[in-house]
Amino acid sequence: MKTNWRFCLPLLATLALAACGTTDGGGARGDKDLSAPTGPAGDAQSLTAYHWKLQQAYTGAGHEDQSWFLTAGSGKPNLQLDFAEQRLSVKNLCNLVSAPYRTTGDRLEVQRAMSTLRACDDQALMKLEQQVTRQLPKAQRWAVQLGTGQQAPRLTVTFIDGVSWQLQGTPTAQTQYGSAGETMFYEIAPQRVSCNHALIKNYQCLQVRELRYGDNGVKTYTGPWQNFYSEIDGYQHRGGVRNVVRVKRYQRKDVPSDAPSYVYKLDLVVESENVRAK
């Protein structure tokens, strides 16, 4: 069996900062402005309670700015901002971009951004990543408007150069399930296996075994292989690839009798190994 190791632990590196220009990409603000939610203003805790997906962007002159979006139809998701443990993270780029932040009233300060070192062949996405990295330290103010009923909350971020972003919020797993979740490590076998699922005919289960680590990072426990009857949200399995993943496990509330008791969310792919037969 030929084994090829590829490790996915993120390495952070500081990116250079430079002036960032913007381009007008449409009509004046208001033509396509998101309809404002009708709920109350959110506090600083509301920043951490939601994932924020970019919906609209404007130049300092108030014109719609498409430079923060990839070409329509590219299939690439919009930028997503997450605020947690005084760190702002931007997802859906080539790399995970993050920076320390703090809020004072409606003021937002973001320090110099850093990035994981993942190779990226998508030049347009890499250009957008560099643009975002330069822009983040220019953040000046923030405002959250909470929704009512089915309305999603909205976050507006304005920058010192007049650029502004409008982002729509969806609840984080912690907000949705009412807890911080339990951190678990699983080793996932290269191939799915047939298993007797109570709800899905001819279901193919992941094969997993639990791993535990000490505070020094040394593995202290390896559990037995077991069928995994759930799926891990955010994880895409490829046949022939063994993975070690870090997940968050959340207890469901008011669980139906035929539903699993837990929800699993991918936190990090720690390690991957291509396993191929000779």
Side-chain angles (χ1 to χ4, degrees):
M1 178 175 67
K2 183 178 179 181
T3 302
N4 177 28
W5 287 93
R6 176 175 62 83
F7 292 91
C8 299
L9 291 173
L11 301 175
L12 296 180
T14 302
L15 297 183
L17 298 177
C20 175
T22 58
T23 58
D24 291 356
R29 182 179 307 191
D31 293 348
K32 298 183 180 180
D33 201 8
L34 295 176
S35 56
T38 57
D43 58 16
Q45 289 186 343
S46 63
L47 284 175
T48 64
Y50 298 91
H51 303 294
W52 299 101
K53 187 70 67 71
L54 183 64
Q55 300 294 315
Q56 300 276 274
Y58 298 95
T59 67
H63 296 281
E64 190 178 2
D65 186 356
Q66 292 297 317
S67 69
W68 303 102
F69 303 88
L70 296 179
T71 305
S74 67
K76 301 290 185 180
N78 294 352
L79 302 180
Q80 176 179 303
L81 272 57
D82 289 292
F83 297 82
E85 299 179 348
Q86 296 305 118
R87 196 163 192 90
L88 165 60
S89 299
V90 186
K91 298 179 180 178
N92 299 332
L93 297 166
C94 285
N95 293 278
L96 175 64
V97 173
S98 65
Y101 81 92
R102 68 176 181 179
T103 58
T104 305
D106 67 347
R107 296 192 64 84
L108 174 63
E109 295 181 48
V110 180
Q111 298 181 24
R112 186 167 58 179
M114 308 176 78
S115 170
T116 54
L117 294 177
R118 177 188 172 193
C120 182
D121 295 330
D122 190 328
Q123 295 302 310
L125 192 59
M126 195 66 204
K127 181 179 178 181
L128 177 59
E129 178 178 310
Q130 294 166 353
Q131 182 178 337
V132 169
T133 303
R134 293 192 296 265
Q135 188 70 17
L136 290 179
K138 301 177 184 179
Q140 185 177 47
R141 296 188 183 278
W142 68 279
V144 168
Q145 193 75 26
L146 299 176
T148 57
Q150 298 299 315
Q151 288 182 320
R154 182 176 70 181
L155 167 64
T156 301
V157 178
T158 55
F159 300 87
I160 58 175
D161 57 3
V163 169
S164 67
W165 294 350
Q166 291 187 0
L167 307 100
Q168 185 169 290
T170 57
T172 65
Q174 182 170 341
T175 299
Q176 187 174 0
Y177 298 107
S179 72
E182 181 182 7
T183 299
M184 310 282 292
F185 289 87
Y186 290 117
E187 180 179 358
I188 303 177
Q191 303 296 342
R192 289 181 180 265
V193 296
S194 297
C195 57
N196 187 19
H197 196 287
L199 300 176
I200 305 174
K201 187 178 180 181
N202 300 324
Y203 189 69
Q204 295 281 309
C205 283
L206 294 172
Q207 281 265 293
V208 308
R209 58 182 177 182
E210 183 183 354
L211 306 177
R212 298 174 191 166
Y213 297 88
D215 293 339
N216 58 0
V218 175
K219 189 187 300 180
T220 59
Y221 172 80
T222 300
W225 288 107
Q226 296 180 337
N227 290 340
F228 192 75
Y229 291 92
S230 299
E231 293 293 332
I232 300 172
D233 188 20
Y235 174 75
Q236 293 185 339
H237 187 71
R238 291 192 298 119
V241 179
R242 184 192 70 85
N243 290 294
V244 174
V245 299
R246 186 177 71 196
V247 304
K248 288 284 190 178
R249 186 174 74 171
Y250 298 90
Q251 177 79 49
R252 288 181 184 267
K253 298 179 181 178
D254 302 321
V255 185
S257 59
D258 56 354
S261 299
Y262 294 98
V263 173
Y264 299 84
K265 303 279 187 178
L266 178 66
D267 189 29
L268 178 70
V269 177
V270 177
E271 176 184 305
S272 292
E273 177 191 14
N274 293 320
V275 180
R276 299 286 185 241
K278 291 183 178 179

